[in-house]
Amino acid sequence: MSERQLQMVKGNEAVAEAAVRAGCRHFFGYPITPQNELPEYMSGRMPEVGGTFLQAESEVAAINMVYGAAGAGVRVMTSSSSPGISLKQEGISYIAGAELPCVIVNMVRGGPGLGSIQPAQSDYFQSTKGGGHGDYRMVVLGPATLQEMVDLTYEAFDIADRYRNPVMILGDGVIGQMMEPVRFPDLMDPDTLPTKEWATKGRRDREELNLINSLYLDPDACWAHNQHLARKYAEMQENEVRYEVVHGDAEYFLVAYGTTARIARRSMTDLRERGYDVGLVRPISLWPFPEKAFRDLADRARGYLAVEMSLGQMVEDVRLSVDSSVPVAFYGTAGGVMPHHADITQQMEDLIRGTGDDR
Amino acid sequence: MYHEILIAGFGGQGVMLMGQMLAYAGMKRDLNVSWIPSYGPEQRGGTANCGVVLSTEPVGSPVVTEPSDCAVMNLPSLTKFEPAVTPSGYLYVNTSLCPDEVTRDDIKVVRVAATEEADAMGNARVANMIMLGAMMGGLEGLPFEVMEEVLPDVLPERHHGLIPVNLKALARGREIFESAE
């Protein structure tokens, strides 16, 4: 019972503990603010559960250690923040190409370049559109609360194993640094997980040699591999869409994910108290993007306001998902500055007035 | 109810712990709560602050920029955050370390000589608890007694012997709030 008590935990530590509960026993990382509490926590926790914590010599080394451990069939995680995740992109592409499951956490900070250490959402393109080379996709999950981050992290390992594909938890500096009450799921024994027949951990008495590789020198073979990957990605798009719609009977909708969705929700409440018919669409899976949420609202929605801690990235997916006759406005702050709920409220009022809704 | 609380001071005064205790207290009373430290390229002896939201609504941004309840433990914090307090909000000032007067007249100011009071109690380190006790006076929905449940959770077991002195300091803060009202 005590396992399921509400606990006050810091976001970075919550992700780490959720991973341990999900049976992750291998962590490779390299320090960077604002996610340092995550590897710090793992450095203490992994020895307790008989796991491996290793601070690598660089982000590039860390992601390649993830590649190796994933190839051996164990649940493995790495974490970083924006500049560090950029360094990991080559490895992520290789892992996707070699079809290996792993979970990658990005606590996004202001960019570009070294940017700032404050929260941002400006890595949306990099995460959802393939930050590394080649036609690959990964499931990207954007939690808005620590409980959701715990639940999604726990589930991320299952998703990764199901598709043999990397999954990213896309947080930001705020969700990494804040404390909120959470309930952790039960501790899973990794020995009870299904055996990964494809893992390269010794041939033993198997007939076939297991090979993990992303190199296909024959273009036809590489094309066949890409077609196989495309079918897998289509399956993910079919099965892994997650979103929340609040006040689905509204006429106007704020669209936001992660920390920004928390702020937008407060604006929604303010606007509704003042008589505006406003709801919220909150994508949780950023890839696959929840186009369905917008299709379902097509009959009634008269306008959308996408809000992000970026100069406008997710808004492109919103525009692709809605009928072009409906206005999709954008409001964003970047570089580590967070949007203020009163400013979002003002922007939404402007949108509603601009579309002829006189109050 | 939506309290946005900001607690500021210099490193070592225990402002992070004050905020965490409020968040724990809110959690124990089934409120929605969040806590977040200011983080940045901090230096030793520099200013430290944390934001806490206590609410019956879901918590929006955990970052507090316009506090409804603000405690300042030193002069740089007073200078920085006095202008940020929302009109008719509470500003709790550690007068022991803030010789300057509050200039605003549209906020409720509670003066707490926290450092001197702590010295008088024989333990300079409980200044933060005296201030916290005062702050709780202004936070409806958070009964004072909840701190008796919170202290054993936030203090490591080896420090549980310090619970009585902390409760005494909290109670002193409460008295100061009540006599200021």
Side-chain angles (χ1 to χ4, degrees), chain A residues 254-326:
Chain A
L254 292 158
V255 188
Y257 70 93
T259 296
T260 308
R262 304 170 66 108
I263 307 170
R265 195 178 178 125
R266 193 167 168 203
S267 304
M268 179 195 74
T269 306
D270 289 354
L271 284 157
R272 290 184 72 85
E273 274 170 12
R274 288 162 51 199
Y276 291 106
D277 195 8
V278 174
L280 172 72
V281 181
R282 182 171 73 86
I284 298 170
S285 60
L286 304 175
W287 196 92
F289 191 73
E291 292 157 18
K292 182 181 182 301
F294 299 92
R295 280 202 305 273
D296 291 350
L297 295 171
D299 288 344
R300 55 177 317 103
R302 299 178 59 188
Y304 294 93
L305 174 65
V307 188
E308 299 173 62
M309 285 191 280
S310 84
L311 293 178
Q313 301 192 12
M314 176 197 67
V315 64
E316 293 192 3
D317 284 332
V318 178
R319 289 189 175 129
L320 287 169
S321 305
V322 306
D323 183 331
S324 59
S325 64
V326 176

Side-chain angles (χ1 to χ4, degrees), chain A residues 63 85-100 102 104 123-140 164-168 214 225-230 232-234 236-237 287:
Chain A
I63 194 69
I85 293 287
S86 290
L87 285 164
K88 291 182 202 279
Q89 291 304 326
E90 180 197 47
I92 296 172
S93 170
Y94 277 52
I95 290 168
E99 292 194 87
L100 294 175
C102 68
I104 302 157
D123 297 357
Y124 179 93
F125 283 155
Q126 184 194 56
S127 321
T128 61
K129 312 291 179 191
H133 60 280
D135 265 325
Y136 76 90
R137 295 292 188 176
M138 62 179 167
V139 173
V140 180
R164 289 182 56 183
N165 205 73
V167 175
M168 178 172 276
S214 69
H225 179 54
N226 270 274
Q227 287 174 306
H228 159 71
L229 292 177
K232 189 170 83 171
Y233 300 147
M236 292 178 186
Q237 282 177 299
W287 196 92

Side-chain angles (χ1 to χ4, degrees), chain B residues 102-147:
Chain B
V102 175
T103 53
R104 282 178 65 179
D105 56 9
D106 61 336
I107 54 177
K108 289 173 271 194
V109 181
V110 181
R111 292 173 180 81
V112 185
T115 311
E116 290 156 89
E117 290 280 350
D119 281 338
M121 288 176 71
N123 191 337
R125 286 182 301 176
V126 297
N128 62 338
M129 291 299 115
I130 294 170
M131 183 59 97
L132 183 60
M135 287 187 85
M136 289 191 73
L139 295 168
E140 88 273 13
L142 212 56
F144 187 74
E145 300 72 44
V146 68
M147 284 306 173

